[in-house]
Amino acid sequence: MRTREGRDLWVLVHTEVQGAAQTEFAKRMFQYNYRIRDRYDRSVVSLAVLSDTNHQFRPASYEDGRWGCDIIFRFPTVKLLDYTEPER
């Protein structure tokens, strides 16, 4: 992809398909994002596809911090269960 100025623009896309509710999922999304960013030194967009059957499992961010040093990582999610109900 090129910017309007004609420069090359790299955006790496990290997609994670999660089939079961897992408490550490958001943390893993963050870890994979920063590992990819660190390795390639490029912007990374992380996307989650949730294919589990738990209506309550909807991770969309990871947060950590101590003594005023905070990490807030948000990522878009798609819950396939939302598209299987008849009224949708």
Side-chain angles (χ1 to χ4, degrees):
M1 175 187 285
R2 291 191 179 269
T3 65
R4 290 182 180 165
E5 294 80 26
R7 293 188 306 242
D8 285 337
L9 175 66
W10 283 66
V11 177
L12 303 177
V13 178
H14 157 231
T15 304
E16 193 81 22
V17 178
Q18 182 68 17
Q22 187 180 46
T23 57
E24 296 292 314
F25 177 71
K27 181 179 180 181
R28 189 174 76 239
M29 288 289 289
F30 168 70
Q31 290 172 328
Y32 288 1
N33 179 284
Y34 81 70
R35 287 176 182 166
I36 295 167
R37 179 182 296 271
D38 185 50
R39 179 169 183 159
Y40 296 103
D41 194 26
R42 303 283 185 193
S43 294
V44 181
V45 175
S46 293
L47 311 168
V49 178
L50 306 175
S51 62
D52 63 285
T53 58
N54 182 341
H55 286 278
Q56 307 307 315
F57 181 65
R58 293 179 181 272
S61 66
Y62 171 74
E63 297 183 25
D64 192 18
R66 186 173 315 255
W67 302 330
C69 181
D70 299 312
I71 295 169
I72 301 170
F73 175 68
R74 292 184 197 89
F75 51 91
T77 63
V78 173
K79 182 83 169 186
L80 297 182
L81 198 58
D82 292 343
Y83 299 95
T84 59
E85 298 173 5
E87 67 272 6
R88 298 200 185 251

